[in-house]
Each structure stands twice: as C-alpha cells, then as structure tokens.
Amino acid sequence: MVINMKSAVYPGSFDPVTYGHLDIIRRSAEIFDELTVSILDNKMKTPLFSVEERVKMLKEATKEYPNVKVDSFSGLLVDYTRKNKIGVSIRGLRAITDFEYELQIAQTNRVLSDGHLDTMFLTTSLEYAYLSSSTVKEVAMFKGDISKQVPDFVRDMIYEKYGHGNESQ
Ligand code: PNS
C-alpha cells in the first residue's frame, strides 16, 4: 500500500480548539504539504460541542492555512489513516505527564497499523503549555476570562453554550 508521507493527520477531540492546538496546526502545516485536522466523533463522551459545530469552528480557526483540511472520524485512527493514505499522526506534548499516555497510543497505533502509521510529536510552545480544553471550559463555565486561551469567536461560542450571552464579554 502506498502511503503519502507528505500528508499528516492531527487527530483530537478539539472540544473546543485552543491556541495550543492552533500552534501545533500552524507548525505542522509548515512541515507537511497537507494537514488534515480530524475530529474524533467519540460516542462514549458527551462533548460540549457537536462534531458539526467543531468542524465549523476548526474551519473558521484554520481558514488562513490553505493546506489545512478539517474532517471527522469515528472508530480507530489507523482505519481512518489507512483509508485516507496518511502515514503520520501529529500530537502535541505539553509536559512529561502527557508522554506516558501519548507513547502508549503511538505504540498501539504502530502495532495496529503494521507500521503504516507513525506518530510525530511537537512540543507545545511554552506560552500554551498550561492550556487544555477542559480548563478552558471550566473557567468559561464561571464566566472567567479565556481570551488568552481561545480565539474570540470560540470564546463567544463557549459562553453561548453556558448561557452567558453578551453581558459577560
Ligand atoms: O484530543 P484527545 O482527546 O487527546 O485525542 C485523542 C485521540 C482522538 C487522538 C485518540 O483518542 C484516538 O485516536 N482515538 C481513536 C480511537 C483509536 O484509534 N484508539 C487507538 C489508540 S488506543
């Protein structure tokens, strides 16, 4: 099977997308000819945003990058990458605490894919190393300031979900 090593996937939940994700997207899009950001449709989790909402959000957030596509997948990442002839999965590493989990996923994917899928780790830029979608949601739930963590239009979408409306901006 021919695998295109010039294209990569950046899989994740992106619930919601943060500046940390966008930093990884910008840098990976400079390395690869084509980058597909693919959102996991995880039936086992109840996300804040539907997959459709997250696709729309990611498309808006990445519109300045002509070689970035946004897609979604369900099931195994290796099945998705095999079908789309993608050979590299990108993941961001914020701290050593991410490493153990990420290493396990990367090795599982390598075994499951018979070696067709490798994982490339990019270290998150220091200014975003503390950031996670979960903390963004927690701060936003209590009307906290998340303007340093997500783009303004994403902040508005999150506030709307929590029923804050415009009065909190
Ligand atoms: O943003 P997240 O939630 O940390 O992303 C995790 C993701 C989507 C990369 C990972 O859970 C995944 O690829 N899930 C799909 C199922 C799969 O292929 N699992 C195999 C490795 S255990």
Side-chain angles (χ1 to χ4, degrees):
M1 179 175 175
V2 179
I3 296 292
N4 182 0
M5 297 301 282
K6 291 180 176 169
S7 66
V9 64
Y10 179 27
S13 303
F14 306 105
D15 185 43
V17 66
T18 68
Y19 279 135
H21 296 128
L22 291 172
D23 170 59
I24 298 289
I25 291 171
R26 179 187 57 75
R27 288 157 57 202
S28 322
E30 284 172 10
I31 298 170
F32 291 91
D33 292 342
E34 187 176 274
L35 177 72
T36 305
V37 179
S38 205
I39 300 155
L40 175 66
D41 187 0
N42 189 346
K43 306 279 185 234
M44 286 170 20
K45 276 191 191 171
T46 311
L48 182 61
F49 292 99
S50 69
V51 171
E52 293 73 27
E53 287 170 324
R54 280 176 280 161
V55 166
K56 218 172 133 199
M57 189 189 281
L58 260 305
K59 280 189 176 164
E60 175 63 25
T62 60
K63 65 181 180 196
E64 67 192 279
Y65 308 121
N67 61 336
V68 173
K69 279 195 325 190
V70 180
D71 194 11
S72 62
F73 74 104
S74 53
L76 290 176
L77 180 66
V78 290
D79 292 335
Y80 175 79
T81 52
R82 194 176 280 121
K83 189 165 150 242
N84 290 282
K85 297 192 167 33
I86 295 173
V88 179
S89 168
I90 307 280
R91 295 287 289 167
L93 283 181
R94 288 168 299 191
I96 195 73
T97 41
D98 282 342
F99 185 71
E100 210 170 324
Y101 168 68
E102 292 296 338
L103 182 68
Q104 195 179 23
I105 294 188
Q107 287 176 335
T108 303
N109 283 337
R110 240 184 102 64
V111 171
L112 284 179
S113 72
D114 284 329
H116 99 254
L117 183 63
D118 240 315
T119 302
M120 200 171 112
F121 295 109
L122 293 190
T123 51
T124 307
S125 296
L126 276 181
E127 60 196 299
Y128 305 126
Y130 71 99
L131 243 177
S132 76
S133 296
S134 315
T135 55
V136 166
K137 283 183 278 195
E138 189 160 334
V139 172
M141 196 192 304
F142 299 105
K143 289 195 191 182
D145 180 11
I146 50 168
S147 57
K148 288 193 179 69
Q149 305 174 13
V150 298
D152 288 353
F153 82 93
V154 175
R155 178 202 57 198
D156 295 348
M157 286 173 78
I158 303 170
Y159 277 178
E160 203 182 319
K161 281 278 177 196
Y162 289 122
H164 297 332
N166 285 328
E167 89 277 10
S168 55
Q169 292 161 37

